[in-house]
Structures are given as C-alpha cells and as structure tokens.
Amino acid sequence: MRIGFFDSGIGGLTVLAEALRRHPDKDFLYMADTLHVPYGTKSKEDVKGYILEAVGTMMNEGIDALVVACNTATSIAITELRERYSLPIVGMEPAVKPAVEMNSATGKRVLVFATPLTLQLPKYYALVSRVDDTGIVDSLPLPELVHYCESLQFDKQIMNEYFRAKLAGYELNDYGIIVLGCTHYPFYKDILRELLPDHIAIVDGNVGTVKRLSALLSRYGIARGGGSGNVQFMCTGNEPGYIDKMQTALAYLREKDNLTETEPF
Ligand code: DGL
C-alpha cells in the first residue's frame, strides 16, 4: 500500500510531512516535476500537459492513492485526473473558507498568498465568490517565493526584505489571517511568524488535506497498515542532487514540532 504525493518541486513535502505524522504505517512515493517547476508562472495548457505526464509515470510506478500536493496543479487538473484514474485522489485549494469563517467574528480581512496561476484560474474565483459574502478576501501572488524555496533560500534577512516589500502596500492591522495557498510557502512560516504582528494567524490547508486523505482511505477500506513510513523520491528532471535536496528538506520539516500553527481544518 503506497500513497503518491505530487508537486512541481519540494512544496508538496510540507504536506507529506503531515501525512507521515498521521500515517507512519503507510509507504509513500513523492514525485517532483523538476523539469517544469515553477508551474505558477506558466500557461494553464502547458502545466496541464506536464501534470498528466508526471502523474502517468507515478501510476506506472504503482500507487494506491494520490495526493495532488499542489494548489496550482489541483486547480488545473484535478477533474481530469479523477476522470482518468479510479483510485482515491485528494486535491488542495487555498484554505479561504475556514479563514473567512474564523475571521467573521473579528471583522478583520483575509490575505491569500498563492501562485499567479492559482489566483487567475476560475476555480479560485468560484471559491472566493462562494465563501466571501462580505468582500473581506484579498489575494497576493508571490511567484518569487517558489524560486527562493527551490533554491533553499532561507536567509532571514533576505526573506524579510522580500516579504516587507511585498506587504508594503497593506495595512496589516486590517488583517486577521494570512492563508498560505501554495504548498511551497509553509517553508517560510517561521520567518513570516516573526515578521507579522501577533494578531495575524497564518494558516495552510495541509492538515485538512491529510484529514481528507485519511477519510478517503477509510472509505476505500485501506485505512490501516500496509507500509512503514518509507518514502521513495522521484523527479522528472533527473538533476543530480535533487533527490538529496528533497530528503534534506523533508528531514528539516519533520524536525519541526508543529508545522501548522492553527489546526482548525
Ligand atoms: N507548490 C505549488 C502550489 O501549491 C506550485 C508552485 C509552482 O510550481 O509554482 O501551488
């Protein structure tokens, strides 16, 4: 029994780390589409082709369930993947709904960070118009953050400058929650936490995604056992060192006590 995790790069590891915490009795196959990362600045048509090809490779390798651990890929290809394959498939979307619910009592605004492509797609517009009755959601694309993350740029000073410049036009007192709507972004949660005022909560959809995975596995009768927390890594680009990079990044994430600050989802 093996669960596949798919992302354009190392971002999906933030979701895999959560899955390993909750399902240490499963094995995992992690696929990064390193030939085409980043997705968030490319065309929808191109990215769809990349996703279908990489996921096809994962299917050939043998998986029993799939987590599309990428908000951008989910927006573009989740429907088609579900049409093509009959195994359980879990996708991701920015945690806008719970953020709006959490904020309704405070009257503060919600700021969603995601890739340009996620924020441009109809799925995101549909989500926001469905849940944001009072118009409190703002969206900020952070395309550079995926580049920083892929090059393991975690220098506090450099990243603080980047975030300060991006947030310069926002009155942070008006905001109660920042949603990390790209799976690469939780790598910067600690840096953001130090930078942002205390009243701003930082949320992502990782815990919610793994809970949906658990529910789906139960429904398909594959809830327990079948593995031992083994992770096999693959990437489309075959760059020397990328597998090591993924292993290092996952070890870093697993060392952290608590990747997700709030767990309402
Ligand atoms: N990690 C991905 C996401 O959640 C996409 C990053 C990218 O390739 O631009 O949206």
Short mmCIF file of all heavy atoms in Angstrom, two decimals, residues 110-163:
data_model
loop_
_atom_site.label_atom_id
_atom_site.label_comp_id
_atom_site.label_asym_id
_atom_site.label_seq_id
_atom_site.Cartn_x
_atom_site.Cartn_y
_atom_site.Cartn_z
N VAL A 110 -8.87 38.94 5.22
CA VAL A 110 -8.08 37.74 4.95
C VAL A 110 -7.18 38.02 3.76
O VAL A 110 -7.65 38.56 2.75
CB VAL A 110 -9.02 36.55 4.60
CG1 VAL A 110 -8.22 35.35 4.11
CG2 VAL A 110 -9.90 36.18 5.80
N LEU A 111 -5.90 37.67 3.87
CA LEU A 111 -4.99 37.85 2.74
C LEU A 111 -4.49 36.48 2.28
O LEU A 111 -3.95 35.71 3.08
CB LEU A 111 -3.81 38.74 3.16
CG LEU A 111 -2.81 39.12 2.07
CD1 LEU A 111 -3.50 39.83 0.89
CD2 LEU A 111 -1.71 40.03 2.65
N VAL A 112 -4.72 36.18 1.00
CA VAL A 112 -4.34 34.87 0.46
C VAL A 112 -3.07 35.00 -0.37
O VAL A 112 -3.04 35.76 -1.35
CB VAL A 112 -5.48 34.29 -0.43
CG1 VAL A 112 -5.09 32.91 -0.95
CG2 VAL A 112 -6.79 34.23 0.35
N PHE A 113 -2.03 34.27 0.01
CA PHE A 113 -0.81 34.18 -0.80
C PHE A 113 -0.93 32.93 -1.67
O PHE A 113 -1.21 31.83 -1.15
CB PHE A 113 0.43 33.96 0.08
CG PHE A 113 0.83 35.10 0.98
CD1 PHE A 113 1.79 34.88 1.98
CD2 PHE A 113 0.31 36.37 0.85
CE1 PHE A 113 2.21 35.90 2.82
CE2 PHE A 113 0.72 37.40 1.69
CZ PHE A 113 1.67 37.17 2.68
N ALA A 114 -0.68 33.05 -2.96
CA ALA A 114 -0.68 31.86 -3.83
C ALA A 114 0.10 32.18 -5.10
O ALA A 114 0.60 33.31 -5.27
CB ALA A 114 -2.11 31.43 -4.16
N THR A 115 0.19 31.21 -6.00
CA THR A 115 0.91 31.47 -7.26
C THR A 115 0.00 32.31 -8.18
O THR A 115 -1.23 32.27 -8.06
CB THR A 115 1.28 30.16 -7.99
OG1 THR A 115 0.09 29.53 -8.47
CG2 THR A 115 2.06 29.22 -7.10
N PRO A 116 0.61 33.03 -9.13
CA PRO A 116 -0.21 33.82 -10.06
C PRO A 116 -1.24 32.95 -10.77
O PRO A 116 -2.39 33.36 -10.93
CB PRO A 116 0.81 34.38 -11.05
CG PRO A 116 2.12 34.35 -10.33
CD PRO A 116 2.05 33.21 -9.37
N LEU A 117 -0.84 31.74 -11.16
CA LEU A 117 -1.77 30.88 -11.90
C LEU A 117 -2.96 30.46 -11.04
O LEU A 117 -4.11 30.56 -11.47
CB LEU A 117 -0.99 29.64 -12.42
CG LEU A 117 -1.64 28.84 -13.54
CD1 LEU A 117 -2.13 29.70 -14.69
CD2 LEU A 117 -0.63 27.80 -14.08
N THR A 118 -2.71 30.04 -9.81
CA THR A 118 -3.83 29.68 -8.92
C THR A 118 -4.80 30.84 -8.81
O THR A 118 -6.02 30.65 -8.90
CB THR A 118 -3.30 29.32 -7.50
OG1 THR A 118 -2.48 28.16 -7.60
CG2 THR A 118 -4.43 29.06 -6.53
N LEU A 119 -4.28 32.04 -8.63
CA LEU A 119 -5.15 33.20 -8.38
C LEU A 119 -5.90 33.65 -9.64
O LEU A 119 -6.92 34.33 -9.54
CB LEU A 119 -4.33 34.36 -7.80
CG LEU A 119 -3.69 34.08 -6.43
CD1 LEU A 119 -2.82 35.26 -6.00
CD2 LEU A 119 -4.74 33.79 -5.36
N GLN A 120 -5.38 33.24 -10.81
CA GLN A 120 -6.03 33.65 -12.07
C GLN A 120 -7.15 32.69 -12.49
O GLN A 120 -7.95 33.01 -13.34
CB GLN A 120 -5.02 33.57 -13.22
CG GLN A 120 -4.14 34.77 -13.42
CD GLN A 120 -2.90 34.37 -14.21
OE1 GLN A 120 -2.93 33.42 -15.01
NE2 GLN A 120 -1.81 35.07 -13.96
N LEU A 121 -7.11 31.47 -11.95
CA LEU A 121 -7.99 30.43 -12.50
C LEU A 121 -9.42 30.54 -12.00
O LEU A 121 -9.66 31.00 -10.88
CB LEU A 121 -7.41 29.05 -12.18
CG LEU A 121 -6.13 28.73 -12.95
CD1 LEU A 121 -5.42 27.52 -12.37
CD2 LEU A 121 -6.43 28.51 -14.43
N PRO A 122 -10.38 30.09 -12.81
CA PRO A 122 -11.80 30.19 -12.44
C PRO A 122 -12.11 29.48 -11.12
O PRO A 122 -12.99 29.91 -10.38
CB PRO A 122 -12.53 29.47 -13.59
CG PRO A 122 -11.54 29.35 -14.69
CD PRO A 122 -10.18 29.54 -14.15
N LYS A 123 -11.37 28.41 -10.81
CA LYS A 123 -11.64 27.66 -9.58
C LYS A 123 -11.46 28.58 -8.35
O LYS A 123 -12.22 28.50 -7.40
CB LYS A 123 -10.67 26.48 -9.49
CG LYS A 123 -11.13 25.36 -8.58
CD LYS A 123 -10.29 24.11 -8.83
CE LYS A 123 -10.81 22.92 -8.07
NZ LYS A 123 -10.61 23.01 -6.63
N TYR A 124 -10.46 29.44 -8.40
CA TYR A 124 -10.22 30.34 -7.27
C TYR A 124 -11.32 31.40 -7.19
O TYR A 124 -11.85 31.67 -6.11
CB TYR A 124 -8.83 30.98 -7.39
CG TYR A 124 -8.52 31.90 -6.23
CD1 TYR A 124 -8.24 31.37 -4.97
CD2 TYR A 124 -8.54 33.29 -6.37
CE1 TYR A 124 -7.98 32.21 -3.89
CE2 TYR A 124 -8.28 34.13 -5.30
CZ TYR A 124 -8.00 33.58 -4.06
OH TYR A 124 -7.75 34.40 -2.99
N TYR A 125 -11.68 31.96 -8.34
CA TYR A 125 -12.78 32.95 -8.35
C TYR A 125 -14.06 32.33 -7.81
O TYR A 125 -14.79 32.94 -7.03
CB TYR A 125 -13.03 33.48 -9.77
CG TYR A 125 -12.03 34.54 -10.15
CD1 TYR A 125 -11.01 34.26 -11.06
CD2 TYR A 125 -12.09 35.82 -9.59
CE1 TYR A 125 -10.08 35.23 -11.40
CE2 TYR A 125 -11.16 36.79 -9.92
CZ TYR A 125 -10.16 36.49 -10.83
OH TYR A 125 -9.23 37.43 -11.16
N ALA A 126 -14.31 31.09 -8.24
CA ALA A 126 -15.53 30.41 -7.78
C ALA A 126 -15.50 30.21 -6.26
O ALA A 126 -16.49 30.44 -5.56
CB ALA A 126 -15.68 29.06 -8.49
N LEU A 127 -14.33 29.81 -5.77
CA LEU A 127 -14.18 29.58 -4.33
C LEU A 127 -14.42 30.87 -3.55
O LEU A 127 -15.22 30.91 -2.60
CB LEU A 127 -12.76 29.05 -4.05
CG LEU A 127 -12.31 28.96 -2.59
CD1 LEU A 127 -13.10 27.89 -1.84
CD2 LEU A 127 -10.81 28.64 -2.50
N VAL A 128 -13.78 31.95 -3.97
CA VAL A 128 -13.92 33.21 -3.24
C VAL A 128 -15.36 33.72 -3.34
O VAL A 128 -15.95 34.13 -2.33
CB VAL A 128 -12.90 34.27 -3.74
CG1 VAL A 128 -13.15 35.61 -3.07
CG2 VAL A 128 -11.48 33.81 -3.45
N SER A 129 -15.95 33.64 -4.54
CA SER A 129 -17.32 34.18 -4.59
C SER A 129 -18.30 33.32 -3.80
O SER A 129 -19.29 33.84 -3.30
CB SER A 129 -17.83 34.40 -6.03
OG SER A 129 -17.14 33.61 -6.93
N ARG A 130 -17.98 32.05 -3.62
CA ARG A 130 -18.86 31.18 -2.83
C ARG A 130 -18.79 31.51 -1.33
O ARG A 130 -19.80 31.47 -0.64
CB ARG A 130 -18.44 29.72 -3.06
CG ARG A 130 -19.52 28.70 -2.82
CD ARG A 130 -19.16 27.31 -3.34
NE ARG A 130 -17.93 26.78 -2.80
CZ ARG A 130 -16.85 26.45 -3.53
NH1 ARG A 130 -16.85 26.62 -4.83
NH2 ARG A 130 -15.78 25.97 -2.96
N VAL A 131 -17.58 31.80 -0.84
CA VAL A 131 -17.45 31.89 0.63
C VAL A 131 -17.28 33.32 1.16
O VAL A 131 -17.44 33.55 2.36
CB VAL A 131 -16.27 31.02 1.14
CG1 VAL A 131 -16.45 29.58 0.71
CG2 VAL A 131 -14.91 31.54 0.69
N ASP A 132 -16.97 34.27 0.27
CA ASP A 132 -16.63 35.62 0.75
C ASP A 132 -17.81 36.57 0.56
O ASP A 132 -17.74 37.51 -0.25
CB ASP A 132 -15.38 36.10 -0.01
CG ASP A 132 -14.89 37.46 0.49
OD1 ASP A 132 -15.20 37.80 1.65
OD2 ASP A 132 -14.20 38.16 -0.28
N ASP A 133 -18.86 36.37 1.34
CA ASP A 133 -20.08 37.16 1.19
C ASP A 133 -19.85 38.65 1.41
O ASP A 133 -20.50 39.49 0.79
CB ASP A 133 -21.12 36.74 2.25
CG ASP A 133 -21.60 35.33 2.00
OD1 ASP A 133 -21.41 34.87 0.86
OD2 ASP A 133 -22.11 34.70 2.94
N THR A 134 -18.94 38.96 2.32
CA THR A 134 -18.81 40.37 2.72
C THR A 134 -17.58 41.05 2.11
O THR A 134 -17.23 42.17 2.49
CB THR A 134 -18.75 40.47 4.26
OG1 THR A 134 -17.74 39.55 4.72
CG2 THR A 134 -20.08 40.11 4.89
N GLY A 135 -16.92 40.36 1.20
CA GLY A 135 -15.80 41.00 0.49
C GLY A 135 -14.59 41.31 1.36
O GLY A 135 -14.04 42.41 1.31
N ILE A 136 -14.17 40.31 2.16
CA ILE A 136 -13.02 40.57 3.05
C ILE A 136 -11.73 39.88 2.58
O ILE A 136 -10.71 39.95 3.25
CB ILE A 136 -13.32 40.11 4.51
CG1 ILE A 136 -13.66 38.61 4.57
CG2 ILE A 136 -14.43 40.95 5.13
CD1 ILE A 136 -13.59 38.04 5.98
N VAL A 137 -11.80 39.21 1.42
CA VAL A 137 -10.63 38.45 0.97
C VAL A 137 -9.82 39.23 -0.07
O VAL A 137 -10.37 39.68 -1.07
CB VAL A 137 -11.07 37.09 0.36
CG1 VAL A 137 -9.88 36.33 -0.21
CG2 VAL A 137 -11.78 36.24 1.42
N ASP A 138 -8.53 39.39 0.19
CA ASP A 138 -7.60 39.96 -0.78
C ASP A 138 -6.58 38.88 -1.16
O ASP A 138 -6.31 37.98 -0.37
CB ASP A 138 -6.86 41.16 -0.19
CG ASP A 138 -7.82 42.29 0.17
OD1 ASP A 138 -8.74 42.55 -0.62
OD2 ASP A 138 -7.65 42.87 1.26
N SER A 139 -6.02 39.01 -2.37
CA SER A 139 -5.10 37.96 -2.85
C SER A 139 -3.79 38.58 -3.31
O SER A 139 -3.79 39.61 -3.98
CB SER A 139 -5.73 37.23 -4.04
OG SER A 139 -7.05 36.86 -3.73
N LEU A 140 -2.70 37.92 -2.97
CA LEU A 140 -1.38 38.43 -3.34
C LEU A 140 -0.54 37.31 -3.96
O LEU A 140 -0.18 36.35 -3.28
CB LEU A 140 -0.68 38.98 -2.08
CG LEU A 140 0.74 39.52 -2.25
CD1 LEU A 140 0.80 40.71 -3.20
CD2 LEU A 140 1.33 39.92 -0.88
N PRO A 141 -0.23 37.42 -5.26
CA PRO A 141 0.63 36.40 -5.87
C PRO A 141 2.08 36.57 -5.43
O PRO A 141 2.58 37.69 -5.38
CB PRO A 141 0.49 36.69 -7.38
CG PRO A 141 0.01 38.09 -7.49
CD PRO A 141 -0.67 38.46 -6.21
N LEU A 142 2.72 35.45 -5.10
CA LEU A 142 4.13 35.51 -4.68
C LEU A 142 4.97 34.54 -5.52
O LEU A 142 5.48 33.53 -5.02
CB LEU A 142 4.26 35.13 -3.19
CG LEU A 142 3.62 36.08 -2.17
CD1 LEU A 142 3.78 35.54 -0.75
CD2 LEU A 142 4.23 37.48 -2.26
N PRO A 143 5.11 34.81 -6.83
CA PRO A 143 5.81 33.87 -7.70
C PRO A 143 7.27 33.63 -7.31
O PRO A 143 7.79 32.53 -7.42
CB PRO A 143 5.72 34.52 -9.09
CG PRO A 143 5.40 35.95 -8.84
CD PRO A 143 4.65 36.01 -7.55
N GLU A 144 7.92 34.69 -6.79
CA GLU A 144 9.36 34.56 -6.47
C GLU A 144 9.60 33.57 -5.34
O GLU A 144 10.68 33.00 -5.22
CB GLU A 144 9.95 35.92 -6.06
CG GLU A 144 9.78 37.04 -7.07
CD GLU A 144 8.41 37.73 -6.99
OE1 GLU A 144 7.58 37.37 -6.13
OE2 GLU A 144 8.18 38.64 -7.82
N LEU A 145 8.58 33.38 -4.51
CA LEU A 145 8.78 32.55 -3.32
C LEU A 145 9.07 31.09 -3.68
O LEU A 145 9.81 30.40 -2.99
CB LEU A 145 7.53 32.65 -2.43
CG LEU A 145 7.72 32.41 -0.94
CD1 LEU A 145 8.91 33.16 -0.38
CD2 LEU A 145 6.45 32.79 -0.19
N VAL A 146 8.52 30.64 -4.80
CA VAL A 146 8.78 29.26 -5.23
C VAL A 146 10.25 29.14 -5.68
O VAL A 146 10.94 28.18 -5.34
CB VAL A 146 7.80 28.83 -6.35
CG1 VAL A 146 8.18 27.47 -6.91
CG2 VAL A 146 6.38 28.80 -5.81
N HIS A 147 10.74 30.18 -6.36
CA HIS A 147 12.17 30.18 -6.76
C HIS A 147 13.06 30.16 -5.52
O HIS A 147 14.01 29.39 -5.44
CB HIS A 147 12.51 31.43 -7.57
CG HIS A 147 12.02 31.38 -8.98
ND1 HIS A 147 12.60 30.57 -9.93
CD2 HIS A 147 11.01 32.04 -9.59
CE1 HIS A 147 11.95 30.73 -11.06
NE2 HIS A 147 10.98 31.60 -10.88
N TYR A 148 12.75 31.03 -4.57
CA TYR A 148 13.55 31.06 -3.34
C TYR A 148 13.56 29.69 -2.67
O TYR A 148 14.59 29.20 -2.24
CB TYR A 148 12.97 32.09 -2.36
CG TYR A 148 13.33 33.52 -2.65
CD1 TYR A 148 12.36 34.52 -2.62
CD2 TYR A 148 14.64 33.90 -2.93
CE1 TYR A 148 12.68 35.85 -2.87
CE2 TYR A 148 14.98 35.22 -3.18
CZ TYR A 148 13.99 36.19 -3.15
OH TYR A 148 14.32 37.49 -3.40
N CYS A 149 12.38 29.11 -2.58
CA CYS A 149 12.23 27.83 -1.89
C CYS A 149 13.01 26.73 -2.60
O CYS A 149 13.76 25.97 -1.98
CB CYS A 149 10.74 27.49 -1.80
SG CYS A 149 10.39 26.08 -0.79
N GLU A 150 12.87 26.68 -3.93
CA GLU A 150 13.55 25.63 -4.70
C GLU A 150 15.07 25.79 -4.59
O GLU A 150 15.80 24.82 -4.71
CB GLU A 150 13.11 25.69 -6.17
CG GLU A 150 11.70 25.15 -6.39
CD GLU A 150 11.57 23.65 -6.11
OE1 GLU A 150 12.46 22.89 -6.50
OE2 GLU A 150 10.56 23.25 -5.49
N SER A 151 15.53 27.03 -4.38
CA SER A 151 16.99 27.18 -4.24
C SER A 151 17.40 27.20 -2.76
O SER A 151 18.50 27.62 -2.42
CB SER A 151 17.50 28.40 -4.99
OG SER A 151 16.71 29.52 -4.67
N LEU A 152 16.49 26.74 -1.91
CA LEU A 152 16.73 26.64 -0.45
C LEU A 152 17.23 27.97 0.12
O LEU A 152 18.15 27.99 0.94
CB LEU A 152 17.70 25.49 -0.13
CG LEU A 152 17.29 24.09 -0.61
CD1 LEU A 152 18.31 23.05 -0.18
CD2 LEU A 152 15.91 23.68 -0.08
N GLN A 153 16.60 29.03 -0.31
CA GLN A 153 16.95 30.36 0.20
C GLN A 153 16.12 30.63 1.46
O GLN A 153 14.95 31.00 1.36
CB GLN A 153 16.67 31.42 -0.87
CG GLN A 153 16.88 32.85 -0.43
CD GLN A 153 18.27 33.11 0.13
OE1 GLN A 153 18.50 32.95 1.33
NE2 GLN A 153 19.19 33.48 -0.74
N PHE A 154 16.74 30.41 2.62
CA PHE A 154 16.02 30.64 3.87
C PHE A 154 16.72 31.69 4.74
O PHE A 154 16.54 31.71 5.95
CB PHE A 154 15.84 29.32 4.64
CG PHE A 154 15.01 28.31 3.89
CD1 PHE A 154 15.56 27.12 3.48
CD2 PHE A 154 13.70 28.58 3.56
CE1 PHE A 154 14.81 26.20 2.74
CE2 PHE A 154 12.93 27.67 2.83
CZ PHE A 154 13.49 26.49 2.43
N ASP A 155 17.54 32.51 4.09
CA ASP A 155 18.24 33.56 4.83
C ASP A 155 17.21 34.57 5.35
O ASP A 155 16.44 35.14 4.58
CB ASP A 155 19.24 34.25 3.90
CG ASP A 155 20.00 35.34 4.63
OD1 ASP A 155 21.04 35.01 5.20
OD2 ASP A 155 19.53 36.50 4.64
N LYS A 156 17.25 34.74 6.67
CA LYS A 156 16.20 35.53 7.30
C LYS A 156 16.16 36.97 6.78
O LYS A 156 15.10 37.52 6.50
CB LYS A 156 16.43 35.53 8.81
CG LYS A 156 15.13 35.51 9.59
CD LYS A 156 15.35 35.79 11.02
CE LYS A 156 15.29 34.54 11.86
NZ LYS A 156 15.42 34.82 13.30
N GLN A 157 17.35 37.56 6.64
CA GLN A 157 17.39 38.96 6.21
C GLN A 157 16.85 39.14 4.79
O GLN A 157 16.04 40.02 4.52
CB GLN A 157 18.82 39.45 6.30
CG GLN A 157 18.90 40.95 6.36
CD GLN A 157 20.35 41.42 6.44
OE1 GLN A 157 21.21 40.70 6.95
NE2 GLN A 157 20.60 42.60 5.92
N ILE A 158 17.31 38.26 3.90
CA ILE A 158 16.85 38.35 2.50
C ILE A 158 15.34 38.14 2.42
O ILE A 158 14.63 38.88 1.74
CB ILE A 158 17.58 37.29 1.63
CG1 ILE A 158 19.07 37.66 1.54
CG2 ILE A 158 16.95 37.17 0.25
CD1 ILE A 158 19.94 36.64 0.85
N MET A 159 14.85 37.15 3.15
CA MET A 159 13.43 36.85 3.06
C MET A 159 12.58 37.93 3.74
O MET A 159 11.51 38.27 3.26
CB MET A 159 13.13 35.46 3.66
CG MET A 159 13.77 34.31 2.90
SD MET A 159 13.69 34.44 1.09
CE MET A 159 11.92 34.49 0.79
N ASN A 160 13.08 38.47 4.85
CA ASN A 160 12.36 39.57 5.49
C ASN A 160 12.21 40.75 4.54
O ASN A 160 11.14 41.36 4.45
CB ASN A 160 13.09 40.04 6.76
CG ASN A 160 12.74 39.17 7.95
OD1 ASN A 160 11.79 38.38 7.90
ND2 ASN A 160 13.52 39.27 9.00
N GLU A 161 13.30 41.06 3.85
CA GLU A 161 13.23 42.18 2.89
C GLU A 161 12.20 41.90 1.80
O GLU A 161 11.44 42.77 1.41
CB GLU A 161 14.61 42.39 2.24
CG GLU A 161 15.49 43.31 3.05
CD GLU A 161 16.92 43.34 2.55
OE1 GLU A 161 17.13 43.18 1.33
OE2 GLU A 161 17.82 43.49 3.40
N TYR A 162 12.21 40.66 1.32
CA TYR A 162 11.26 40.27 0.27
C TYR A 162 9.82 40.45 0.77
O TYR A 162 9.00 41.10 0.11
CB TYR A 162 11.53 38.82 -0.16
CG TYR A 162 10.45 38.26 -1.05
CD1 TYR A 162 10.34 38.65 -2.38
CD2 TYR A 162 9.53 37.33 -0.56
CE1 TYR A 162 9.33 38.15 -3.20
CE2 TYR A 162 8.52 36.83 -1.37
CZ TYR A 162 8.44 37.23 -2.69
OH TYR A 162 7.44 36.74 -3.49
N PHE A 163 9.53 39.86 1.93
CA PHE A 163 8.15 39.93 2.43
C PHE A 163 7.75 41.37 2.76
O PHE A 163 6.63 41.79 2.48
CB PHE A 163 7.97 39.05 3.68
CG PHE A 163 7.90 37.58 3.37
CD1 PHE A 163 8.83 36.70 3.92
CD2 PHE A 163 6.92 37.07 2.54
CE1 PHE A 163 8.76 35.33 3.63
CE2 PHE A 163 6.84 35.70 2.26
CZ PHE A 163 7.77 34.84 2.80
#
